[in-house]
PDB file of all heavy atoms in Angstrom:
ATOM      1  N   GLY A  23     -20.539 -21.016  -1.309  1.00 76.00           N
ATOM      2  CA  GLY A  23     -21.064 -19.733  -0.856  1.00 76.00           C
ATOM      3  C   GLY A  23     -19.923 -18.789  -0.482  1.00 76.00           C
ATOM      4  O   GLY A  23     -19.981 -17.590  -0.797  1.00 76.00           O
ATOM      5  N   LYS A  24     -18.920 -19.364   0.211  1.00 81.00           N
ATOM      6  CA  LYS A  24     -17.849 -18.501   0.666  1.00 81.00           C
ATOM      7  C   LYS A  24     -17.068 -17.965  -0.509  1.00 81.00           C
ATOM      8  O   LYS A  24     -16.521 -16.807  -0.482  1.00 81.00           O
ATOM      9  CB  LYS A  24     -16.912 -19.266   1.596  1.00 81.00           C
ATOM     10  CG  LYS A  24     -17.537 -19.453   2.966  1.00 81.00           C
ATOM     11  CD  LYS A  24     -16.454 -19.772   3.971  1.00 81.00           C
ATOM     12  CE  LYS A  24     -17.053 -19.620   5.422  1.00 81.00           C
ATOM     13  NZ  LYS A  24     -16.077 -19.937   6.416  1.00 81.00           N
ATOM     14  N   HIS A  25     -16.947 -18.798  -1.560  1.00 83.00           N
ATOM     15  CA  HIS A  25     -16.174 -18.299  -2.748  1.00 83.00           C
ATOM     16  C   HIS A  25     -16.933 -17.206  -3.422  1.00 83.00           C
ATOM     17  O   HIS A  25     -16.347 -16.238  -3.951  1.00 83.00           O
ATOM     18  CB  HIS A  25     -15.864 -19.495  -3.690  1.00 83.00           C
ATOM     19  CG  HIS A  25     -14.594 -20.155  -3.355  1.00 83.00           C
ATOM     20  ND1 HIS A  25     -14.530 -21.219  -2.480  1.00 83.00           N
ATOM     21  CD2 HIS A  25     -13.345 -19.906  -3.731  1.00 83.00           C
ATOM     22  CE1 HIS A  25     -13.294 -21.591  -2.329  1.00 83.00           C
ATOM     23  NE2 HIS A  25     -12.505 -20.803  -3.122  1.00 83.00           N
ATOM     24  N   ILE A  26     -18.283 -17.327  -3.481  1.00 84.00           N
ATOM     25  CA  ILE A  26     -19.068 -16.282  -4.092  1.00 84.00           C
ATOM     26  C   ILE A  26     -18.859 -14.955  -3.308  1.00 84.00           C
ATOM     27  O   ILE A  26     -18.659 -13.900  -3.909  1.00 84.00           O
ATOM     28  CB  ILE A  26     -20.557 -16.679  -4.100  1.00 84.00           C
ATOM     29  CG1 ILE A  26     -20.765 -18.002  -4.846  1.00 84.00           C
ATOM     30  CG2 ILE A  26     -21.379 -15.581  -4.710  1.00 84.00           C
ATOM     31  CD1 ILE A  26     -20.510 -17.976  -6.334  1.00 84.00           C
ATOM     32  N   ALA A  27     -18.813 -15.105  -1.964  1.00 83.00           N
ATOM     33  CA  ALA A  27     -18.515 -13.918  -1.151  1.00 83.00           C
ATOM     34  C   ALA A  27     -17.156 -13.351  -1.486  1.00 83.00           C
ATOM     35  O   ALA A  27     -16.944 -12.131  -1.529  1.00 83.00           O
ATOM     36  CB  ALA A  27     -18.593 -14.238   0.324  1.00 83.00           C
ATOM     37  N   PHE A  28     -16.170 -14.252  -1.742  1.00 85.00           N
ATOM     38  CA  PHE A  28     -14.833 -13.829  -2.108  1.00 85.00           C
ATOM     39  C   PHE A  28     -14.882 -13.044  -3.433  1.00 85.00           C
ATOM     40  O   PHE A  28     -14.252 -11.958  -3.579  1.00 85.00           O
ATOM     41  CB  PHE A  28     -13.974 -15.047  -2.226  1.00 85.00           C
ATOM     42  CG  PHE A  28     -12.590 -14.856  -2.776  1.00 85.00           C
ATOM     43  CD1 PHE A  28     -11.732 -13.869  -2.214  1.00 85.00           C
ATOM     44  CD2 PHE A  28     -12.088 -15.596  -3.845  1.00 85.00           C
ATOM     45  CE1 PHE A  28     -10.501 -13.619  -2.746  1.00 85.00           C
ATOM     46  CE2 PHE A  28     -10.803 -15.426  -4.294  1.00 85.00           C
ATOM     47  CZ  PHE A  28     -10.016 -14.473  -3.759  1.00 85.00           C
ATOM     48  N   TYR A  29     -15.637 -13.541  -4.409  1.00 87.00           N
ATOM     49  CA  TYR A  29     -15.704 -12.872  -5.696  1.00 87.00           C
ATOM     50  C   TYR A  29     -16.392 -11.470  -5.508  1.00 87.00           C
ATOM     51  O   TYR A  29     -16.018 -10.505  -6.103  1.00 87.00           O
ATOM     52  CB  TYR A  29     -16.504 -13.677  -6.726  1.00 87.00           C
ATOM     53  CG  TYR A  29     -15.890 -15.070  -6.941  1.00 87.00           C
ATOM     54  CD1 TYR A  29     -16.719 -16.180  -7.114  1.00 87.00           C
ATOM     55  CD2 TYR A  29     -14.490 -15.217  -6.910  1.00 87.00           C
ATOM     56  CE1 TYR A  29     -16.145 -17.421  -7.314  1.00 87.00           C
ATOM     57  CE2 TYR A  29     -13.949 -16.492  -7.084  1.00 87.00           C
ATOM     58  CZ  TYR A  29     -14.772 -17.569  -7.255  1.00 87.00           C
ATOM     59  OH  TYR A  29     -14.233 -18.838  -7.378  1.00 87.00           O
ATOM     60  N   TRP A  30     -17.423 -11.441  -4.666  1.00 87.00           N
ATOM     61  CA  TRP A  30     -18.058 -10.147  -4.418  1.00 87.00           C
ATOM     62  C   TRP A  30     -17.104  -9.152  -3.790  1.00 87.00           C
ATOM     63  O   TRP A  30     -17.259  -7.934  -3.963  1.00 87.00           O
ATOM     64  CB  TRP A  30     -19.321 -10.311  -3.542  1.00 87.00           C
ATOM     65  CG  TRP A  30     -20.527 -10.696  -4.352  1.00 87.00           C
ATOM     66  CD1 TRP A  30     -21.111 -11.904  -4.372  1.00 87.00           C
ATOM     67  CD2 TRP A  30     -21.198  -9.867  -5.252  1.00 87.00           C
ATOM     68  NE1 TRP A  30     -22.195 -11.896  -5.208  1.00 87.00           N
ATOM     69  CE2 TRP A  30     -22.256 -10.646  -5.818  1.00 87.00           C
ATOM     70  CE3 TRP A  30     -21.073  -8.538  -5.707  1.00 87.00           C
ATOM     71  CZ2 TRP A  30     -23.182 -10.174  -6.769  1.00 87.00           C
ATOM     72  CZ3 TRP A  30     -21.941  -8.062  -6.673  1.00 87.00           C
ATOM     73  CH2 TRP A  30     -23.004  -8.848  -7.138  1.00 87.00           C
ATOM     74  N   SER A  31     -16.168  -9.661  -2.965  1.00 85.00           N
ATOM     75  CA  SER A  31     -15.295  -8.734  -2.274  1.00 85.00           C
ATOM     76  C   SER A  31     -14.356  -7.983  -3.251  1.00 85.00           C
ATOM     77  O   SER A  31     -13.895  -6.900  -2.992  1.00 85.00           O
ATOM     78  CB  SER A  31     -14.443  -9.464  -1.226  1.00 85.00           C
ATOM     79  OG  SER A  31     -13.592 -10.373  -1.861  1.00 85.00           O
ATOM     80  N   PHE A  32     -14.138  -8.588  -4.453  1.00 88.00           N
ATOM     81  CA  PHE A  32     -13.477  -7.769  -5.529  1.00 88.00           C
ATOM     82  C   PHE A  32     -14.334  -6.580  -5.852  1.00 88.00           C
ATOM     83  O   PHE A  32     -13.789  -5.501  -6.107  1.00 88.00           O
ATOM     84  CB  PHE A  32     -13.216  -8.665  -6.760  1.00 88.00           C
ATOM     85  CG  PHE A  32     -12.085  -9.626  -6.632  1.00 88.00           C
ATOM     86  CD1 PHE A  32     -12.315 -10.903  -6.186  1.00 88.00           C
ATOM     87  CD2 PHE A  32     -10.811  -9.226  -6.944  1.00 88.00           C
ATOM     88  CE1 PHE A  32     -11.238 -11.790  -6.012  1.00 88.00           C
ATOM     89  CE2 PHE A  32      -9.767 -10.104  -6.817  1.00 88.00           C
ATOM     90  CZ  PHE A  32      -9.971 -11.335  -6.363  1.00 88.00           C
ATOM     91  N   GLY A  33     -15.639  -6.819  -5.842  1.00 87.00           N
ATOM     92  CA  GLY A  33     -16.570  -5.677  -6.069  1.00 87.00           C
ATOM     93  C   GLY A  33     -16.391  -4.643  -4.959  1.00 87.00           C
ATOM     94  O   GLY A  33     -16.460  -3.431  -5.226  1.00 87.00           O
ATOM     95  N   THR A  34     -16.185  -5.087  -3.713  1.00 84.00           N
ATOM     96  CA  THR A  34     -15.963  -4.179  -2.616  1.00 84.00           C
ATOM     97  C   THR A  34     -14.814  -3.260  -2.933  1.00 84.00           C
ATOM     98  O   THR A  34     -14.857  -2.075  -2.752  1.00 84.00           O
ATOM     99  CB  THR A  34     -15.691  -4.893  -1.303  1.00 84.00           C
ATOM    100  OG1 THR A  34     -16.668  -5.885  -1.166  1.00 84.00           O
ATOM    101  CG2 THR A  34     -15.668  -3.984  -0.130  1.00 84.00           C
ATOM    102  N   VAL A  35     -13.689  -3.858  -3.448  1.00 87.00           N
ATOM    103  CA  VAL A  35     -12.475  -3.116  -3.740  1.00 87.00           C
ATOM    104  C   VAL A  35     -12.768  -2.095  -4.839  1.00 87.00           C
ATOM    105  O   VAL A  35     -12.453  -0.889  -4.725  1.00 87.00           O
ATOM    106  CB  VAL A  35     -11.336  -4.029  -4.134  1.00 87.00           C
ATOM    107  CG1 VAL A  35     -10.173  -3.251  -4.718  1.00 87.00           C
ATOM    108  CG2 VAL A  35     -10.903  -4.878  -2.989  1.00 87.00           C
ATOM    109  N   LEU A  36     -13.471  -2.545  -5.909  1.00 89.00           N
ATOM    110  CA  LEU A  36     -13.801  -1.622  -6.956  1.00 89.00           C
ATOM    111  C   LEU A  36     -14.699  -0.507  -6.521  1.00 89.00           C
ATOM    112  O   LEU A  36     -14.595   0.615  -6.911  1.00 89.00           O
ATOM    113  CB  LEU A  36     -14.456  -2.417  -8.178  1.00 89.00           C
ATOM    114  CG  LEU A  36     -13.523  -3.417  -8.787  1.00 89.00           C
ATOM    115  CD1 LEU A  36     -14.233  -4.124  -9.948  1.00 89.00           C
ATOM    116  CD2 LEU A  36     -12.243  -2.797  -9.262  1.00 89.00           C
ATOM    117  N   LEU A  37     -15.696  -0.907  -5.613  1.00 88.00           N
ATOM    118  CA  LEU A  37     -16.604   0.122  -5.073  1.00 88.00           C
ATOM    119  C   LEU A  37     -15.861   1.160  -4.307  1.00 88.00           C
ATOM    120  O   LEU A  37     -16.092   2.354  -4.404  1.00 88.00           O
ATOM    121  CB  LEU A  37     -17.673  -0.596  -4.244  1.00 88.00           C
ATOM    122  CG  LEU A  37     -18.709   0.327  -3.605  1.00 88.00           C
ATOM    123  CD1 LEU A  37     -19.680   0.780  -4.718  1.00 88.00           C
ATOM    124  CD2 LEU A  37     -19.512  -0.394  -2.525  1.00 88.00           C
ATOM    125  N   LEU A  38     -14.918   0.651  -3.461  1.00 88.00           N
ATOM    126  CA  LEU A  38     -14.115   1.594  -2.679  1.00 88.00           C
ATOM    127  C   LEU A  38     -13.403   2.581  -3.589  1.00 88.00           C
ATOM    128  O   LEU A  38     -13.408   3.776  -3.340  1.00 88.00           O
ATOM    129  CB  LEU A  38     -13.067   0.824  -1.863  1.00 88.00           C
ATOM    130  CG  LEU A  38     -12.095   1.714  -1.117  1.00 88.00           C
ATOM    131  CD1 LEU A  38     -12.669   2.034   0.278  1.00 88.00           C
ATOM    132  CD2 LEU A  38     -10.743   1.090  -0.943  1.00 88.00           C
ATOM    133  N   LEU A  39     -12.817   2.040  -4.663  1.00 90.00           N
ATOM    134  CA  LEU A  39     -12.098   2.919  -5.606  1.00 90.00           C
ATOM    135  C   LEU A  39     -13.046   3.913  -6.254  1.00 90.00           C
ATOM    136  O   LEU A  39     -12.774   5.082  -6.361  1.00 90.00           O
ATOM    137  CB  LEU A  39     -11.421   2.077  -6.692  1.00 90.00           C
ATOM    138  CG  LEU A  39     -10.180   1.353  -6.247  1.00 90.00           C
ATOM    139  CD1 LEU A  39      -9.710   0.400  -7.323  1.00 90.00           C
ATOM    140  CD2 LEU A  39      -9.084   2.349  -5.963  1.00 90.00           C
ATOM    141  N   ALA A  40     -14.254   3.405  -6.682  1.00 91.00           N
ATOM    142  CA  ALA A  40     -15.176   4.248  -7.387  1.00 91.00           C
ATOM    143  C   ALA A  40     -15.732   5.380  -6.486  1.00 91.00           C
ATOM    144  O   ALA A  40     -16.003   6.457  -6.948  1.00 91.00           O
ATOM    145  CB  ALA A  40     -16.377   3.360  -7.878  1.00 91.00           C
ATOM    146  N   VAL A  41     -15.880   5.072  -5.204  1.00 91.00           N
ATOM    147  CA  VAL A  41     -16.391   6.070  -4.292  1.00 91.00           C
ATOM    148  C   VAL A  41     -15.309   7.040  -3.839  1.00 91.00           C
ATOM    149  O   VAL A  41     -15.458   8.232  -3.756  1.00 91.00           O
ATOM    150  CB  VAL A  41     -17.091   5.445  -3.053  1.00 91.00           C
ATOM    151  CG1 VAL A  41     -17.652   6.500  -2.140  1.00 91.00           C
ATOM    152  CG2 VAL A  41     -18.227   4.532  -3.522  1.00 91.00           C
ATOM    153  N   THR A  42     -14.111   6.433  -3.524  1.00 91.00           N
ATOM    154  CA  THR A  42     -13.067   7.184  -2.933  1.00 91.00           C
ATOM    155  C   THR A  42     -12.421   8.169  -3.867  1.00 91.00           C
ATOM    156  O   THR A  42     -12.137   9.323  -3.513  1.00 91.00           O
ATOM    157  CB  THR A  42     -11.952   6.249  -2.377  1.00 91.00           C
ATOM    158  OG1 THR A  42     -12.563   5.282  -1.553  1.00 91.00           O
ATOM    159  CG2 THR A  42     -10.928   7.045  -1.613  1.00 91.00           C
ATOM    160  N   ALA A  43     -12.253   7.739  -5.158  1.00 92.00           N
ATOM    161  CA  ALA A  43     -11.504   8.569  -6.123  1.00 92.00           C
ATOM    162  C   ALA A  43     -12.195   9.953  -6.286  1.00 92.00           C
ATOM    163  O   ALA A  43     -11.521  10.982  -6.107  1.00 92.00           O
ATOM    164  CB  ALA A  43     -11.331   7.843  -7.415  1.00 92.00           C
ATOM    165  N   PRO A  44     -13.484  10.027  -6.588  1.00 93.00           N
ATOM    166  CA  PRO A  44     -14.112  11.333  -6.742  1.00 93.00           C
ATOM    167  C   PRO A  44     -14.139  12.122  -5.417  1.00 93.00           C
ATOM    168  O   PRO A  44     -13.881  13.338  -5.427  1.00 93.00           O
ATOM    169  CB  PRO A  44     -15.535  11.044  -7.148  1.00 93.00           C
ATOM    170  CG  PRO A  44     -15.567   9.610  -7.463  1.00 93.00           C
ATOM    171  CD  PRO A  44     -14.442   8.938  -6.867  1.00 93.00           C
TER     172      PRO A  44
END
Side-chain angles (χ1 to χ4, degrees):
Chain A
K24 285 200 167 180
H25 272 89
I26 302 294
F28 174 50
Y29 304 141
W30 275 110
S31 65
F32 282 92
T34 311
V35 170
L36 297 182
L37 183 71
L38 175 88
L39 285 171
V41 180
T42 308

